[in-house]
Structure formats: C-alpha cells, structure tokens
Amino acid sequence: MVPGAEFTSYYGRPVLNPPTWRPLDIAGYFFLGGLAGAGSVLAAGAELTGRPVMARALKVSSIAALTGSTAALIHDLGRPGRFANMLRVFKPTSPMSMGSWLLAAYGPMAGAAAASDLTGRLPRTGRAATVGAALLGPAVASYTAVLAADTAVPAWHDGRRELPYLFVGSAAMAASGMALLSSPVAENAPARGVALLGTAVETAAVKAMERRLGVVAETYREGRAGRLMRAAEALSVAGALGGALLGRRGRPAAALSGAALLAASACTRFGVFHAGMRSAEDPKYTVLPQRERLEARRERSEDD
C-alpha cells in the first residue's frame, strides 16, 4: 500500500501567506457589519408597519454596531489614517475600495435615522435617512463576504458562490435576534419570520458550500471552526424555533430566543474566519484542489 501523501512546503513555510488579521477585530467586523446592515432593513420595515419601539431599537443598534465594526477595522489597520486613505480611490473592481465607500455613505444615513428617532426632530429627514440606510443595508451586510472571497484563502475563495448567501442569512438572524431582544411582544411578529428565513438561508448555504468544497470543507467541520459552526447551527435552530413558538407568549422567551440568534450569528462569523485561517496555513487545502482542477481540465480536453 502506498502511504498517504504528506503535504509540506519549501523549508516548512506555508504555500500561502496567511492573513495577519486579528480574529476579534475582523470576525467582529464581519458580525457587527452584518447586524448593522440587516438591522437597517428591518428597522425600515418596522417603521412602515407601525412598530415604533422595534424601529427605534434597531436604528440605535445599527449605528452602534456600525461604530463598533468601523472601530474594529481601524484597530486592525493600525491607525485611522489608513481607513481614510482607502477613500482616496474609487475602484469598482476592488471590494475593499467599494466597501469603504459603502460604509462612508451608509454611516451618515444610519446615524441620521437614529438621531431623528431619538430626538423627534426633522422627521422627514429621518424617514428619508431610514429608507436610504435600508437600501444600502443588504450591501453592508454582504460585502464582507465578497471581500473575503476575493482573497486566495481556499476556504473563502472556493466558497465564493455560497459565502454571500451565508453572510446575508447570518445578518438576518442577528438583526431579528436584536429585534426580539429589544422590542415588545406585540411588535415582534416580523422579527420571528425573519429569524426563520435567516436560519433557513444560512443553513442551506453552509450545507451547499460544504458539499461543493470537497477536501476544503474539512476546515469548516474540524477544529475550532467546526466547533463554532456546530454551535451556530444549534443556537440558530433553537433561537428561530423558540422565537416562532414561544416568542409571542412573553418577553423572557422572546429575549432568550433573540440572544440565541445573536450568539449564533457571531459563532458563524468567527467559524468562517477560523476556517479560512486554517485553510491558508495547511498546504493540503491549496495543493489538492489545484490538482483536482488540473485533472478535470485534462479530462475535458481529452473528451473534446
């Protein structure tokens, strides 16, 4: 029997240079950005359907999450000037450039929406800002998936088809969780529906990605990332079903379901982050997929 191949690299160095991103900063940036973007969409829906407490809570949580997300990004960059420098260029082919401009446009709108609601001043401006933030919200919630997939990290780049859906589902879970946690039972019906939808989208995206990634899917199933992804699945199901079945009966059950959904979304973002880091550190996840793609091209050329 031929022993299994051992994947090593030149002088023990990885094939790829793993990102130098800090887990708390970048995974936190992923999570908080998703909460902010999806929260603005849900806030606009709550305002249009006459749910003022939910709308206000989500507007405040969105600007707070955006502030935390921006702070985490700047902390990872090292100094605020580096974020400002990214606004010197408008490059549609660069996810980082477009993301920077997206945040620069979304932030003032989310802030104006929250300030108007809290102070009661300039209601028309506040409504316009609420709509504007809601229109940009889906992009804010999902552009970090494009940013990660645009790298050479196997677990992110190879999952580029499903990762945006995964991030959108995770963001919807976080926003619905915040709504269940902070709004009265009489207003939380839309949040319960969004929780079920977000959980379904995220779960379907994760399963589809794992089926398609082949050996790279190990990074999402094993180690720290595997534990986080399993925790996210359990918490999301518990939160969504708890909100749907018990969320209408009382604030404690709704709040507990909301906390579970928020925790599930955070676990997903941290799980995706750690899966990517592991795939970059182990040469196997770079070399094997390359060999498989090369073999597939050879088979296609022979068939032709």
Side-chain angles (χ1 to χ4, degrees):
M1 295 291 292
V2 178
E6 292 185 7
F7 293 89
T8 58
S9 54
Y10 189 68
Y11 283 103
R13 299 181 64 83
V15 175
L16 301 176
N17 287 324
T20 58
W21 298 339
R22 301 178 183 92
L24 189 60
D25 286 342
I26 298 305
Y29 164 61
F30 290 170
F31 166 68
L32 292 172
L35 173 60
S40 289
V41 177
L42 197 52
E47 185 167 295
L48 291 173
T49 56
R51 293 175 167 85
V53 178
M54 178 184 289
R56 176 175 295 180
L58 289 170
K59 290 176 187 178
V60 172
S61 67
S62 290
I63 190 60
L66 178 67
T67 302
S69 175
T70 305
L73 176 60
I74 291 174
H75 184 263
D76 189 77
L77 291 172
R79 59 176 184 268
R82 289 178 176 171
F83 179 80
N85 287 339
M86 289 190 288
L87 298 175
R88 296 172 60 186
V89 177
F90 186 84
K91 189 175 181 181
T93 57
S94 169
M96 179 63 77
S97 175
M98 298 309 296
S100 301
W101 281 100
L102 178 62
L103 292 178
Y106 169 79
M109 291 185 186
S116 175
D117 201 318
L118 289 171
T119 62
R121 297 181 178 181
L122 302 174
R124 292 183 179 178
T125 301
R127 283 193 293 272
T130 299
V131 172
L135 291 175
L136 293 176
V140 172
S142 60
Y143 92 91
T144 48
V146 180
L147 179 65
D150 197 48
T151 67
V153 175
W156 299 338
H157 182 73
D158 293 355
R160 60 191 177 277
R161 296 179 188 174
E162 297 85 6
L163 211 56
Y165 296 100
L166 193 160
F167 273 39
V168 167
S170 175
M173 282 169 31
S176 61
M178 180 60 70
L180 289 170
L181 192 61
S182 58
S183 59
V185 174
E187 295 186 7
N188 71 14
R192 298 196 301 269
V194 171
L196 290 170
L197 178 61
T199 298
V201 170
E202 182 192 286
T203 302
V206 170
K207 300 303 182 186
M209 184 170 64
E210 289 181 347
R211 284 195 302 269
R212 196 176 59 80
L213 289 187
V215 68
V216 179
E218 292 176 359
T219 61
Y220 287 97
R221 296 175 180 145
E222 300 174 357
R224 182 181 298 178
R227 292 191 293 272
L228 286 166
M229 296 301 284
R230 287 190 293 274
E233 184 176 8
L235 286 167
S236 62
V237 171
L241 292 180
L245 299 176
L246 304 174
R248 69 189 71 186
R249 298 184 180 181
R251 288 281 298 122
L256 189 60
S257 298
L261 289 166
L262 282 166
S265 181
C267 286
T268 295
R269 302 307 175 105
F270 277 84
V272 169
F273 178 86
H274 286 293
M277 297 300 286
R278 183 186 172 197
S279 72
E281 292 167 354
D282 191 334
K284 176 175 69 172
Y285 300 117
T286 301
V287 176
L288 269 183
Q290 288 178 344
R291 290 179 178 175
E292 291 172 354
R293 288 191 290 268
L294 180 60
E295 185 62 30
R297 284 196 295 269
R298 286 175 178 170
E299 291 177 357
R300 286 196 299 269
S301 64
E302 290 175 358
D303 292 339
D304 293 339

